[in-house]
Amino acid sequence: MSQNSILLEINHGVAEITLNRPDKLNSFTRAMHARLREALAAARTDPSVRAILLTGAGRGFCAGQDLADVVDPATGKPGKVNKTLAEDYNPLIHMLQEIPIPVVCAVNGVAAGAGANIALACDIVVAARSASFIQAFVKIGLVPDAGGSYVLPRLIGLARAKALAMLGDKLDAETAERWGLIWRCVDDAVLLAEARKLAQHLATQPTKALGLIKQALHASLGNDLAAQLAVELDHQSQCADSHDYQEGVGAFLEKRKPAFKGH
Ligand code: T3D
């Protein structure tokens, strides 16, 4: 089971990663975490990969932690959560944030608990109209993890973040889009096609600039204006040295489509 719990396919510059335990709504075991880290590392080191698409197999995106996997066989009770947070969820969220290429998430169904927050850690989130987001932690006596307590107030404000986290209610994809929790919600039938189109478009864009845009916007959440202006100066100088900047300006002046190489 754990062997194929993560699928990885690389096509046209896009690494498509699929969470693949559909019978358990793609909830995470420790083995699955290890496979996902391997897939992300493979995407990061493959120079042909210029965008990542993350989605789920079956009717759900991800139901968070596999609650059967947390039970200690010796006691029959849930074990300590520190280990899996420190060794699995926290490194995963860091990887998604730090990978210097865009990560598109196609939320194909319910995204609950850490599953919701893994989706929200991606750069551009597109959801099927039938999908939903549930901060399910409180229902089992836990608090939002996998970065939920960080992103929720920043994306939708404190009032909505508190209510979602404290009530554990289901938020439908259309409301998630309206609130600014996600980028877009699309009809179920076109989700994968739309998400692939988006990822493939990003894979043809100036990758270095995209990576630095991601880094700058993340940095802005903790910076004052002066610090952020310094980040912009540094990042713009890096972009100005790139092939893609030369190409972008050249193409504009020559009234043709730019052919970005990603460096
Ligand atoms: O160690 C730690 O715990 C720390 C880490 C915490 C991170 C977290 O993510 S905590 C939050 C964990 N997730 C949840 O609490 C969500 C639990 N799941 C649900 O509440 C519901 O399944 C959903 C609302 C997501 C979907 O409901 P529904 O009715 O569409 O589906 P279902 O029938 O409940 O689930 C379908 C199957 O998936 C079912 O298996 P079965 O009975 O057909 O063999 C169900 O048991 C399984 N499943 C769903 N979620 C999980 C799961 N199995 C294990 N763990 C799950 N999280």
Side-chain angles (χ1 to χ4, degrees):
M1 168 73 73
S2 63
Q3 225 174 3
N4 297 320
S5 60
I6 295 293
L7 306 178
L8 169 66
E9 255 188 68
I10 298 177
N11 276 315
H12 305 296
V14 177
E16 188 166 316
I17 299 176
T18 306
L19 310 178
N20 188 40
R21 295 180 72 232
D23 52 326
K24 297 295 172 194
L25 297 182
N26 303 319
S27 55
F28 270 90
T29 59
R30 298 212 67 190
M32 185 172 163
H33 268 289
R35 298 289 89 77
L36 180 54
R37 284 194 295 273
E38 283 166 19
L40 287 169
R44 185 176 184 148
T45 50
D46 182 335
S48 77
V49 172
R50 291 167 64 186
I52 292 174
L53 172 58
L54 179 66
T55 192
R59 71 178 177 88
F61 171 69
C62 174
Q65 173 62 38
D66 182 318
L67 296 175
D69 205 47
V70 302
V71 174
D72 179 343
T75 62
K77 294 189 173 151
K80 285 203 166 31
V81 299
N82 319 33
K83 202 168 163 66
T84 178
L85 287 191
E87 293 177 8
D88 295 326
Y89 289 99
N90 291 0
L92 171 60
I93 300 304
H94 279 302
M95 275 183 105
L96 290 169
Q97 297 259 309
E98 283 161 12
I99 202 159
I101 54 176
V103 183
V104 174
C105 186
V107 181
N108 52 299
V110 65
N117 296 335
I118 289 166
L120 298 177
C122 297
D123 298 315
I124 302 186
V125 185
V126 185
R129 209 166 294 284
S130 69
S132 55
F133 297 83
I134 313 175
Q135 293 296 318
F137 308 89
V138 70
K139 305 268 189 200
I140 55 166
L142 291 179
V143 300
D145 60 24
S149 63
Y150 181 82
V151 290
L152 284 171
R154 286 170 166 80
L155 290 172
I156 57 174
L158 206 49
R160 285 169 168 164
K162 279 184 184 167
L164 286 184
M166 289 185 175
L167 301 173
D169 282 351
K170 182 186 280 198
L171 188 75
D172 62 81
E174 286 184 359
T175 309
E177 179 193 292
R178 209 172 52 249
W179 284 7
L181 187 71
I182 62 169
W183 168 237
R184 276 184 69 200
C185 143
V186 299
D187 288 340
D188 290 25
V190 298
L191 173 73
L192 208 51
E194 289 289 320
R196 281 181 178 147
K197 198 158 81 180
L198 186 57
Q200 274 160 19
H201 166 74
L202 289 165
T204 65
Q205 295 305 293
T207 310
K208 186 167 179 66
L210 293 178
L212 290 171
I213 288 170
K214 174 168 173 168
Q215 216 183 82
L217 293 179
H218 290 158
S220 80
L221 299 174
N223 274 346
D224 62 16
L225 178 63
Q228 197 58 22
L229 288 172
V231 169
E232 290 178 4
L233 181 60
D234 173 62
H235 287 190
Q236 208 65 301
S237 309
Q238 292 187 51
C239 287
D241 284 339
S242 69
H243 162 275
D244 286 344
Y245 171 60
Q246 301 296 323
E247 171 62 10
V249 174
F252 176 80
L253 296 176
E254 290 158 23
K255 299 191 187 304
R256 61 173 173 81
K257 216 173 145 211
F260 294 121
K261 291 188 174 164
H263 56 76

Short mmCIF file of all heavy atoms in Angstrom, two decimals, residues 209-237:
data_model
loop_
_atom_site.label_atom_id
_atom_site.label_comp_id
_atom_site.label_asym_id
_atom_site.label_seq_id
_atom_site.Cartn_x
_atom_site.Cartn_y
_atom_site.Cartn_z
N ALA A 209 12.19 34.07 -11.54
CA ALA A 209 11.34 35.16 -11.02
C ALA A 209 10.19 34.58 -10.19
O ALA A 209 9.86 35.10 -9.12
CB ALA A 209 10.80 36.00 -12.17
N LEU A 210 9.60 33.49 -10.66
CA LEU A 210 8.48 32.90 -9.91
C LEU A 210 8.93 32.46 -8.52
O LEU A 210 8.24 32.68 -7.52
CB LEU A 210 7.88 31.70 -10.66
CG LEU A 210 7.18 32.01 -11.99
CD1 LEU A 210 6.70 30.72 -12.64
CD2 LEU A 210 6.00 32.94 -11.77
N GLY A 211 10.12 31.84 -8.46
CA GLY A 211 10.65 31.39 -7.17
C GLY A 211 10.91 32.57 -6.24
O GLY A 211 10.63 32.51 -5.04
N LEU A 212 11.41 33.66 -6.83
CA LEU A 212 11.71 34.83 -5.99
C LEU A 212 10.43 35.58 -5.60
O LEU A 212 10.36 36.15 -4.50
CB LEU A 212 12.69 35.76 -6.72
CG LEU A 212 14.12 35.19 -6.84
CD1 LEU A 212 14.97 36.05 -7.76
CD2 LEU A 212 14.79 35.05 -5.47
N ILE A 213 9.43 35.55 -6.46
CA ILE A 213 8.12 36.15 -6.09
C ILE A 213 7.58 35.44 -4.86
O ILE A 213 7.14 36.04 -3.88
CB ILE A 213 7.11 36.02 -7.27
CG1 ILE A 213 7.47 36.97 -8.41
CG2 ILE A 213 5.67 36.25 -6.79
CD1 ILE A 213 6.67 36.74 -9.70
N LYS A 214 7.64 34.11 -4.92
CA LYS A 214 7.14 33.28 -3.80
C LYS A 214 7.89 33.64 -2.51
O LYS A 214 7.29 33.90 -1.47
CB LYS A 214 7.37 31.81 -4.21
CG LYS A 214 7.08 30.77 -3.20
CD LYS A 214 7.10 29.40 -3.89
CE LYS A 214 6.98 28.27 -2.89
NZ LYS A 214 6.71 26.98 -3.52
N GLN A 215 9.23 33.70 -2.62
CA GLN A 215 10.05 34.00 -1.44
C GLN A 215 9.73 35.39 -0.89
O GLN A 215 9.59 35.57 0.31
CB GLN A 215 11.52 33.96 -1.88
CG GLN A 215 12.46 33.41 -0.87
CD GLN A 215 13.88 33.50 -1.43
OE1 GLN A 215 14.52 34.55 -1.37
NE2 GLN A 215 14.36 32.41 -1.99
N ALA A 216 9.58 36.37 -1.80
CA ALA A 216 9.34 37.75 -1.35
C ALA A 216 7.98 37.88 -0.67
O ALA A 216 7.85 38.55 0.36
CB ALA A 216 9.42 38.70 -2.54
N LEU A 217 6.97 37.24 -1.24
CA LEU A 217 5.63 37.36 -0.64
C LEU A 217 5.58 36.68 0.73
O LEU A 217 4.95 37.18 1.66
CB LEU A 217 4.56 36.81 -1.59
CG LEU A 217 4.39 37.63 -2.87
CD1 LEU A 217 3.34 37.02 -3.79
CD2 LEU A 217 4.01 39.08 -2.57
N HIS A 218 6.27 35.56 0.86
CA HIS A 218 6.33 34.92 2.18
C HIS A 218 7.07 35.82 3.17
O HIS A 218 6.62 36.00 4.30
CB HIS A 218 7.03 33.56 2.10
CG HIS A 218 6.21 32.53 1.39
ND1 HIS A 218 6.74 31.41 0.81
CD2 HIS A 218 4.89 32.45 1.16
CE1 HIS A 218 5.79 30.70 0.25
NE2 HIS A 218 4.66 31.31 0.45
N ALA A 219 8.19 36.39 2.71
CA ALA A 219 8.97 37.26 3.61
C ALA A 219 8.15 38.47 4.05
O ALA A 219 8.28 38.95 5.18
CB ALA A 219 10.25 37.72 2.91
N SER A 220 7.29 38.96 3.16
CA SER A 220 6.52 40.17 3.46
C SER A 220 5.62 39.99 4.68
O SER A 220 5.29 40.96 5.36
CB SER A 220 5.66 40.58 2.26
OG SER A 220 4.49 39.78 2.21
N LEU A 221 5.24 38.74 4.97
CA LEU A 221 4.32 38.50 6.09
C LEU A 221 4.96 38.83 7.43
O LEU A 221 4.26 39.07 8.41
CB LEU A 221 3.81 37.05 6.07
CG LEU A 221 3.03 36.67 4.80
CD1 LEU A 221 2.69 35.20 4.78
CD2 LEU A 221 1.76 37.50 4.69
N GLY A 222 6.29 38.84 7.47
CA GLY A 222 6.96 39.15 8.74
C GLY A 222 7.80 40.41 8.67
O GLY A 222 8.49 40.75 9.62
N ASN A 223 7.77 41.12 7.52
CA ASN A 223 8.66 42.27 7.34
C ASN A 223 7.93 43.60 7.46
O ASN A 223 6.74 43.69 7.14
CB ASN A 223 9.27 42.24 5.92
CG ASN A 223 10.53 41.38 5.86
OD1 ASN A 223 11.08 41.01 6.89
ND2 ASN A 223 10.96 41.08 4.66
N ASP A 224 8.67 44.66 7.82
CA ASP A 224 8.11 46.01 7.67
C ASP A 224 8.46 46.49 6.25
O ASP A 224 9.16 45.79 5.50
CB ASP A 224 8.61 46.95 8.77
CG ASP A 224 10.12 47.13 8.75
OD1 ASP A 224 10.75 46.79 7.74
OD2 ASP A 224 10.68 47.60 9.76
N LEU A 225 7.98 47.68 5.89
CA LEU A 225 8.16 48.16 4.52
C LEU A 225 9.64 48.27 4.15
O LEU A 225 10.04 47.86 3.06
CB LEU A 225 7.45 49.53 4.34
CG LEU A 225 7.61 50.17 2.97
CD1 LEU A 225 6.98 49.31 1.86
CD2 LEU A 225 6.98 51.56 2.95
N ALA A 226 10.45 48.81 5.07
CA ALA A 226 11.87 49.01 4.75
C ALA A 226 12.55 47.67 4.44
O ALA A 226 13.29 47.54 3.46
CB ALA A 226 12.57 49.71 5.90
N ALA A 227 12.24 46.69 5.26
CA ALA A 227 12.86 45.37 5.05
C ALA A 227 12.37 44.77 3.74
O ALA A 227 13.14 44.15 2.99
CB ALA A 227 12.53 44.45 6.22
N GLN A 228 11.11 45.00 3.44
CA GLN A 228 10.56 44.41 2.22
C GLN A 228 11.11 45.10 0.97
O GLN A 228 11.37 44.45 -0.05
CB GLN A 228 9.02 44.46 2.26
CG GLN A 228 8.36 43.54 1.26
CD GLN A 228 8.73 42.07 1.44
OE1 GLN A 228 9.16 41.63 2.52
NE2 GLN A 228 8.60 41.29 0.38
N LEU A 229 11.32 46.41 1.06
CA LEU A 229 11.92 47.11 -0.08
C LEU A 229 13.34 46.58 -0.34
O LEU A 229 13.76 46.45 -1.49
CB LEU A 229 11.95 48.63 0.18
CG LEU A 229 10.57 49.32 0.10
CD1 LEU A 229 10.67 50.77 0.56
CD2 LEU A 229 9.98 49.25 -1.30
N ALA A 230 14.03 46.23 0.74
CA ALA A 230 15.38 45.66 0.58
C ALA A 230 15.30 44.29 -0.08
O ALA A 230 16.13 43.95 -0.94
CB ALA A 230 16.07 45.57 1.94
N VAL A 231 14.29 43.50 0.28
CA VAL A 231 14.09 42.19 -0.37
C VAL A 231 13.83 42.40 -1.86
O VAL A 231 14.42 41.72 -2.71
CB VAL A 231 12.89 41.43 0.28
CG1 VAL A 231 12.52 40.20 -0.54
CG2 VAL A 231 13.23 41.02 1.72
N GLU A 232 12.99 43.36 -2.19
CA GLU A 232 12.67 43.62 -3.61
C GLU A 232 13.92 44.03 -4.39
O GLU A 232 14.13 43.59 -5.52
CB GLU A 232 11.59 44.70 -3.73
CG GLU A 232 10.22 44.22 -3.26
CD GLU A 232 9.16 45.31 -3.34
OE1 GLU A 232 9.46 46.42 -3.83
OE2 GLU A 232 8.03 45.05 -2.88
N LEU A 233 14.74 44.88 -3.76
CA LEU A 233 15.97 45.32 -4.43
C LEU A 233 16.87 44.12 -4.72
O LEU A 233 17.38 43.96 -5.85
CB LEU A 233 16.69 46.33 -3.51
CG LEU A 233 18.00 46.93 -4.01
CD1 LEU A 233 17.78 47.70 -5.31
CD2 LEU A 233 18.60 47.86 -2.95
N ASP A 234 17.02 43.27 -3.74
CA ASP A 234 17.88 42.09 -3.91
C ASP A 234 17.31 41.15 -4.97
O ASP A 234 18.02 40.71 -5.88
CB ASP A 234 18.00 41.36 -2.56
CG ASP A 234 18.73 40.05 -2.72
OD1 ASP A 234 19.91 40.10 -3.11
OD2 ASP A 234 18.12 38.98 -2.51
N HIS A 235 16.00 40.87 -4.89
CA HIS A 235 15.40 39.91 -5.83
C HIS A 235 15.39 40.47 -7.26
O HIS A 235 15.65 39.74 -8.21
CB HIS A 235 13.98 39.57 -5.39
CG HIS A 235 13.94 38.68 -4.18
ND1 HIS A 235 12.80 38.07 -3.73
CD2 HIS A 235 14.93 38.27 -3.35
CE1 HIS A 235 13.08 37.35 -2.66
NE2 HIS A 235 14.37 37.46 -2.41
N GLN A 236 15.12 41.79 -7.37
CA GLN A 236 15.08 42.37 -8.71
C GLN A 236 16.47 42.34 -9.34
O GLN A 236 16.61 42.12 -10.54
CB GLN A 236 14.54 43.80 -8.63
CG GLN A 236 13.83 44.27 -9.85
CD GLN A 236 12.55 43.49 -10.12
OE1 GLN A 236 12.59 42.27 -10.28
NE2 GLN A 236 11.44 44.18 -10.21
N SER A 237 17.50 42.53 -8.50
CA SER A 237 18.87 42.49 -9.04
C SER A 237 19.18 41.08 -9.53
O SER A 237 19.81 40.91 -10.58
CB SER A 237 19.89 42.86 -7.96
OG SER A 237 19.50 44.05 -7.36
#
